[in-house]
Amino acid sequence: MKSYNSFKIRILLAGLISLPAYPVLILIQNSNLFDVALYAYVEYTFAVFVSLVILLEFQNWKSNLLERRLSWKDSFTKRLISELTITFIVTPSLITASYYSFYNFYWDMNIYFPSAIFYNSIGIFISLFFLAFVNAGYFLSNWKNASIRAEVLEKENIKSQLIALQNQLSPHFLFNNFNILSALMDEDLDTAKRYLHNLSEVFRYILQNKYNEVVSLEDELKFITNYSFLLQTRFKKKFNLRIEVEEQYKQLKIPPVSLQVVLENALQHNEVSEKYPLQVDITSDGQEIVVTNKIKPKKGKINSTKTGLDNIARRYEFITYKKLRINNDNEMFTIALPLIE
């Protein structure tokens, strides 16, 4: 915005407008340009130039002041209303004062009301033009940055979806589940059938939604219920998931597999044992899904890429302005995922 906002540019703009001002006035009055005296042209041009410099300096000061208090980025509507309100109130005052000063004190001429209206109209037009001019740099820069950001976020979103899919379809995930299924077939055939059914539902959900930005919370909860059955079968009493979500929120949207990523994060960073069973609670709190678990850090080195929660955050950033809310007080870990209408 600074490159559009220098004093030299304002002086140049005032000069370019003032130089043809007197000939235009003569033509409007249907007079002959050849009858214009040089001193009259110089005096009138000077008067217009001084008036415009005062007007443009005020507009520049006003825009800089508002930028510090009401930036376009944070308060677009309030800023626009403030710019226009101040312009329409102050511009006529400045133009009228300038007009009165030159005509009464310098030229010793009577004020002609229609010409005062004409000058005020021109002044407001120039003020609005200058308002657009000095803020053009900001809008052009932000439009360019927004375009680049949208492209980056789109790539990040696709990358995040692929990471989530790859995590689920990884050989490690498959081998673990196949080993558990194999053991169950020898020990408990009914449980093995249920395990296979839930495993197939997990894969079906992932494959069906790998290109979807959002799914209904109801579908995501069905998926996480199927997924938690796999975990509870694997860890038995060492792991428990409690889901208490009000019906009124189940038709709202959430990025697919996001609850699973949060669940995996809890399993990855906390001890899961008979002495310290992991309890994870999924509840609704307004238009947020809140996932909480008690913190009991694993001993030793944790094999973590630290991309899980970042993955979800990037997806939310792409889809909506809403952000994750994470709280770690060293006793409880809480993450709130906004629901999307």
Side-chain angles (χ1 to χ4, degrees):
M1 186 169 170
K2 289 182 179 179
S3 60
Y4 295 87
N5 207 14
S6 71
F7 179 71
K8 290 181 180 179
I9 292 180
R10 293 193 295 278
I11 292 294
L12 179 62
L13 185 61
L16 290 175
I17 296 174
S18 61
L19 285 173
Y22 195 54
V24 170
L25 178 65
I26 296 299
L27 291 174
I28 291 174
Q29 295 175 344
N30 294 318
S31 300
N32 193 335
L33 287 175
F34 295 102
D35 295 333
V36 176
L38 180 61
Y39 78 90
Y41 172 77
V42 172
E43 285 187 344
Y44 189 86
T45 300
F46 176 74
V48 173
F49 176 78
V50 171
S51 300
L52 285 176
V53 169
I54 294 172
L55 180 62
L56 296 180
E57 283 303 298
F58 166 75
Q59 291 291 347
N60 177 67
W61 173 82
K62 178 247 316 174
S63 290
N64 287 334
L65 178 65
L66 288 176
E67 183 62 28
R68 291 193 294 270
R69 300 186 178 184
L70 287 173
S71 70
W72 287 108
K73 180 179 179 181
D74 299 327
S75 307
F76 181 87
T77 303
K78 289 183 180 179
R79 172 67 182 274
L80 181 62
I81 292 173
S82 299
E83 289 273 9
L84 294 177
T85 301
I86 295 173
T87 294
F88 280 102
I89 290 175
V90 177
T91 297
S93 302
L94 290 175
I95 295 297
T96 301
S98 178
Y99 176 78
Y100 183 85
S101 299
F102 277 102
Y103 271 73
N104 274 43
F105 297 108
Y106 188 72
W107 292 319
D108 195 22
M109 296 173 62
N110 294 325
I111 294 176
Y112 183 52
F113 185 73
S115 64
I117 298 295
F118 172 75
Y119 289 135
N120 274 291
S121 300
I122 295 298
I124 289 175
F125 173 78
I126 292 173
S127 294
L128 294 176
F129 171 78
F130 184 73
L131 171 63
F133 179 77
V134 296
N135 291 288
Y138 172 84
F139 288 115
L140 288 173
S141 175
N142 276 268
W143 174 78
K144 182 180 179 180
N145 291 338
S147 299
I148 295 172
R149 181 175 174 79
E151 184 178 350
V152 170
L153 286 176
E154 185 173 5
K155 291 178 180 178
E156 287 287 345
N157 184 50
I158 295 171
K159 181 181 177 181
S160 297
Q161 291 174 339
L162 289 174
I163 290 173
L165 180 63
Q166 289 168 354
N167 287 342
Q168 291 302 327
L169 300 180
S170 67
H172 180 72
F173 178 81
L174 287 172
F175 287 141
N176 274 345
N177 282 282
F178 286 154
N179 286 335
I180 295 169
L181 183 59
S182 177
L184 285 173
M185 291 177 70
D186 293 331
E187 298 172 5
D188 187 342
L189 191 57
D190 289 337
T191 303
K193 289 179 180 179
R194 288 182 60 198
Y195 193 91
L196 181 60
H197 171 76
N198 282 272
L199 182 61
S200 65
E201 289 298 315
V202 165
F203 276 98
R204 181 182 291 111
Y205 179 84
I206 294 168
L207 293 172
Q208 284 178 344
N209 296 290
K210 64 180 179 178
Y211 297 120
N212 292 338
E213 292 180 359
V214 292
V215 294
S216 71
L217 175 60
E218 185 175 19
D219 289 342
E220 179 76 1
L221 289 174
K222 289 178 181 177
F223 158 71
I224 206 64
T225 300
N226 289 325
Y227 185 75
S228 68
F229 178 83
L230 305 182
L231 296 176
Q232 287 169 332
T233 304
R234 174 184 172 188
F235 293 108
K236 302 188 184 302
K237 294 181 179 180
K238 302 173 188 176
F239 169 81
N240 184 53
L241 175 68
R242 180 177 65 91
I243 300 175
E244 290 185 2
V245 176
E246 296 178 44
E247 287 293 329
Q248 66 190 66
Y249 301 116
K250 289 186 177 180
Q251 296 311 310
L252 298 178
K253 307 296 182 181
I254 191 170
V257 197
S258 52
L259 288 178
Q260 183 272 334
V261 173
V262 175
L263 200 57
E264 282 293 328
N265 182 74
L267 289 166
Q268 193 170 41
H269 291 89
N270 292 281
E271 184 175 336
V272 184
S273 63
E274 292 182 0
K275 185 178 180 181
Y276 299 105
L278 178 63
Q279 172 71 42
V280 179
D281 296 328
I282 299 177
T283 57
S284 54
D285 181 13
Q287 291 198 339
E288 289 182 328
I289 287 297
V290 181
V291 185
T292 58
N293 64 269
K294 194 171 183 178
I295 297 174
K296 178 59 179 176
K298 279 184 177 179
K299 296 179 180 179
K301 185 179 179 181
I302 299 174
N303 294 321
S304 172
T305 59
K306 298 182 180 180
T307 59
L309 299 185
D310 289 341
N311 179 307
I312 303 175
R314 288 199 301 269
R315 290 159 72 186
Y316 266 102
E317 189 176 4
F318 176 76
I319 298 167
T320 178
Y321 66 90
K322 297 179 179 179
K323 295 183 179 181
L324 303 183
R325 199 164 46 82
I326 299 175
N327 182 52
N328 184 344
D329 61 7
N330 294 322
E331 290 187 5
M332 298 293 294
F333 182 84
T334 304
I335 177 168
L337 285 74
L339 294 172
I340 304 165
E341 295 183 5

